[in-house]
Amino acid sequence: MKCFKILTVCAAIAMPLCSAAAQEAEPAAADASASSGMLVELNKAEQTDGGCHYFLLLRNGTDYDFEVLRLDLYFFDTGGVISKRLLVGTPPVASGDTRVAAFVATEVDCDGVSQILVNNVDPCEVSQGEAPACHELLELGNRTEVNFFK
């Protein structure tokens, strides 16, 4: 019985501390979504008859208006072997804008892909001035089971 009282007291003390810590962490998580780079998030993958249909969320947190972004993607199978390479073009993404790019990796089973490497961004063209080092500005996000990395 004494043990139960001790646990109850510990829980009563710890709960407000955990709650306060969680509240402090929430703004940090919200700030993480505000980016100063070009966020490319692998948002969704769904199997179709022709292959795996992927959806990329693009959020431009830079000062550049991107006219052309082409992602050089390498797909790895579940054994870690490169199984496909795709060059994926995106729609123009102005500074502060969010867009979606969708593409199909033909003859690919979504469950057979373990990783996707963003090997390069080429070409990368902006509407004003010289293009920045786009691969360095790239920030990746992921909402799928696939390891999406650069």
Side-chain angles (χ1 to χ4, degrees):
M1 195 63 153
K2 290 181 183 178
C3 183
F4 177 72
K5 288 181 182 177
I6 291 171
L7 289 176
T8 303
V9 170
C10 289
I13 293 170
M15 289 301 280
L17 294 175
C18 290
S19 177
Q23 288 174 351
E24 288 177 16
E26 285 178 23
D31 291 343
S33 67
S35 165
S36 60
M38 170 57 85
L39 173 68
V40 176
E41 176 186 274
L42 183 59
N43 186 273
K44 183 178 180 181
E46 61 185 15
Q47 192 64 47
T48 65
D49 290 339
C52 190
H53 194 174
Y54 290 97
F55 297 85
L56 300 174
L57 178 73
L58 310 167
R59 185 170 291 130
N60 186 354
T62 73
D63 292 331
Y64 297 100
D65 294 332
F66 291 98
E67 295 294 323
V68 177
L69 279 175
R70 188 171 65 191
L71 305 173
D72 182 12
L73 304 178
Y74 281 85
F75 294 73
F76 293 80
D77 65 19
T78 55
V81 176
I82 295 170
S83 60
K84 190 166 197 76
R85 177 186 184 209
L86 283 177
L87 299 173
V88 176
T90 71
V93 187
S95 178
D97 279 355
T98 301
R99 297 282 183 262
V100 171
F103 65 95
V104 176
T106 57
E107 300 176 12
V108 169
D109 180 13
C110 292
D111 291 336
V113 176
S114 64
Q115 302 178 76
I116 299 174
L117 167 67
V118 180
N119 192 57
N120 201 1
V121 181
D122 186 36
C124 170
E125 298 174 10
V126 295
S127 62
Q128 69 283 9
E130 188 175 327
C134 290
H135 196 261
E136 292 174 19
L137 285 176
L138 210 61
E139 296 176 1
L140 301 181
N142 191 358
R143 294 184 185 265
T144 72
E145 299 295 320
V146 174
N147 180 21
F148 187 55
F149 69 105
K150 67 175 187 170

